[in-house]
Amino acid sequence: MNSRFFWVPLLVFAGFVRKPEAQPLHAQISIDLDRYTGSIDSLIYGNFTEHLGRCIYGGIYDPGSPQSDRFGFRKDVEQAVKDLHVSIIRWPGGNFSSDYHWMDGIGPVAERPKRRDLAWGGIEPNLVGTDEFLQWAARSGVQPYICVNMGTGTLDEAKYWVEYCNGAPGTYYADLRVKNGHPEPYHVRIWGLGNEIDGQWQMGHKDAADYGKFALEAAKLMKWQDTSIRLVASGSSNWGADWMGWNRTVLEYLYPYVDYLSLHYYTGKTGKDHYQFMSSIDDLDRKIKITAGLIQETRMKYHVMHPIYIALDEYNVWYRAFNAQHLEEHYNLEDALVIAEYLNCIIRNAAVVKMANMAQLVNVIAPMMITGDSLWKQTIFFPFQLFATYCHGRSIDAELEAPDHLLPDGKNLPLLDISAVRDDGTHTVALNVVNRSADSSIQTQIRWFGAVLGGPGTAYTVNGKELSDENSLRSRKVGIHTDPVAFSGNSLTYTFPAHSFTMIRIPLVGK
Ligand code: AHR
C-alpha cells in the first residue's frame, strides 16, 4: 500500500484535513452616489413598549432591582436604549391599548385602580402610567409615541389625553398634570389612532368604515386640542384577502387629519426552510409599495396637499413564543439576518416609510433580555444598532447582480439583499449586505459612481458559526465584528461570508 494513502484516513479522522470550502459565488453591486431614492427619517429606528409580560413590569420598570434608579426604572435598560440609538418608543400597546383607560394611570399611585388585562391576561397594577412613561422616555433620550384606545375608549378620553400631555396650564386636564407634578407640557408629537382595529382579536374590532368614522371624530378633536400633533391611522395588520380594501377605506375617511398609515408585519419560520424564511421580507416590500400606491390614489383623488407616510409601527420575527411563554422569543443568527433585511427594506423605501418600530424593547419579542439583575443582548440587537447608529441621511440607488436560490414556489431569491445610504452630515456612505446563503461566501465586486471615496473604510459584520447560534446571559455567540476595508479608487472586492450581515462604511472626500 502506498504510504501516502495510508495516512489520509487517519488525518481526516484526527480532524487535520479540512473539507475543502465550496468555491465562492460571485456578485456585483453598483452604487450611484448621486441617485437619491428617499431621505431617511430617524424615526425609522423606533421601538415599542407594551404592558405585556415582562416588558414594562420586570423590564423597563423593576423597582426591586439594584439596577433601578430612584424612580424604579432600570438604568441598564436605559443605557441599552441609548446604545441601540432608539429614536422613538410607542406605548402603551399594542392590543393592550384597546382597553386602556389612561386616567387609571395618573395621580397618586396608591389610589390607582387595578384592572384585569383582557388583552394578555393577568392584572394591570397601573404603577406605570402617562407621567411615569413620558418621564422615562425623556431620561432615555427617546421621543414618545402614544397609541390611544379606539377599541373600548371614548372620544373624550382621546381628546383629554392630548390636553393632559400637551396643554398649557389653565384648563382642567392640563392643570391635573400640573397637580401630578409636571407643570411643563410634555409636547407628545405623535399619536396613534388605535391598534390593529382590522383584527377580530382586537377589543373593539370594527369594520373599516366604522373605524374610519369613529377615528375621524377622534382625530378632529385631538388635532383641535393641539394642531402640532401628528396622527397615525390604524392600517393593515390582518393580511387577509381584503387588506388593501381596509387601507383604502381608512384613507378615504381619515385623509384630512392623518399623517401616517400604520402597517404591522411579523414574520416567522414555521413551515418554511431557511430560504423561504429569508424571502419573507420581499412580501413586505410589495405590501409597502402597494400601500404607497393606495396613499397616492387617495391624495390624487381628493387633492390632498399634506404628505401621508407609512409607519411600520410593529415589526419583528415572532414564531416561537406566544402567550404561554409571555412572548419571550429567543433569537438566533438567522433571525438577526431577517431583521437586517427588514431594515434594508425600510431604507430602500425611505421615501414613504417615515417611521418604524421594532416590537418590542425588552424581554417580549425583544432585542434585550433581563435575567435577574443582568441585561443581555439578543442577536437582533446588533443589526438594529448598526443601522440606527450609521444609516442616516439619504437612501441611494444600488444595483445588484447576484446568484439566485430557487424557491419551492418557483421564484428566484437573490442570495444577497442590499441597501445603500449616503450621509452628507458625516460625509460617509454605507452599503448594507445580507448574504442569505446558508453555506457559501459571495465574492462581490462593488463599484461606487458619482463621488470620491476616502479612507479608511470599515466593515462591521454580524455573523456566527451556525444560523442557529443564540446569545444568552453567559455567552455571546453573535455580536459585531469590525475589520478595516481596503479599496482602490472607487471600487472594492469584498467577500461576504455565508449567513452574514455586513455594513461597509466609507468616508467621502468630495466630488
Ligand atoms: O407585539 C405584540 C402584539 O402583536 C401587539 O400587542 C399587537 O398589536 C400585535 O398583534
Side-chain angles (χ1 to χ4, degrees), residues 265-267 315-318 331 339 342 358-360 365-366 380:
Y265 195 91
Y266 291 96
T267 188
Y315 74 89
N316 208 337
V317 171
W318 178 20
Y331 291 110
I339 292 302
Y342 267 111
M358 175 187 267
Q360 300 189 6
I365 46 172
I380 62 170

Side-chain angles (χ1 to χ4, degrees), residues 284-302:
L284 171 64
D285 199 84
R286 267 194 304 279
K287 285 175 166 145
I288 287 172
K289 291 189 165 67
I290 291 168
T291 305
L294 293 169
I295 291 172
Q296 289 314 325
E297 179 189 62
T298 308
R299 293 188 65 221
M300 178 73 87
K301 194 164 161 189
Y302 299 105

